[in-house]
Amino acid sequence: MISIMFVAAFGDENKVVEICQPNGGGGHNYSIMVDNCYWGKILYQIGGWRVSFQNPHDEFSGGDLQPLIDLVKGED
């Protein structure tokens, strides 16, 4: 996978979200970019997949994050 891009609603705004592997990356590690700014990563660790944000984002629930995990699980 090189990248997946889509438009997502953030409140009243639409932003471009990109899920991509870092340059030279590989494995089970994907960056989450929102409007070309790094927000965090999706990674596989012992125990399963998880989303880790650079800054806390309490407004997101597991229901919001599972579709992001599902996007990358199929690529490995």
Side-chain angles (χ1 to χ4, degrees):
M1 174 178 89
I2 297 183
S3 72
I4 298 170
M5 294 183 80
F6 55 93
V7 176
F10 287 75
D12 293 335
E13 297 180 64
N14 289 329
K15 297 185 180 196
V16 176
V17 177
E18 181 179 15
I19 309 293
C20 57
Q21 287 184 312
N23 288 337
H28 304 294
N29 184 11
Y30 300 87
S31 296
I32 302 170
M33 308 292 288
V34 177
D35 283 348
N36 291 318
C37 294
Y38 177 80
W39 268 45
K41 58 189 169 185
I42 303 170
L43 64 153
Y44 185 84
Q45 294 180 320
I46 296 173
W49 288 92
R50 68 185 195 97
V51 177
S52 175
F53 289 111
Q54 181 175 356
N55 297 313
H57 289 283
D58 296 333
E59 66 269 21
F60 297 115
S61 69
D64 297 323
L65 303 178
Q66 189 60 47
L68 297 179
I69 292 170
D70 291 343
L71 283 173
V72 301
K73 280 175 64 174
E75 297 295 329
D76 287 330

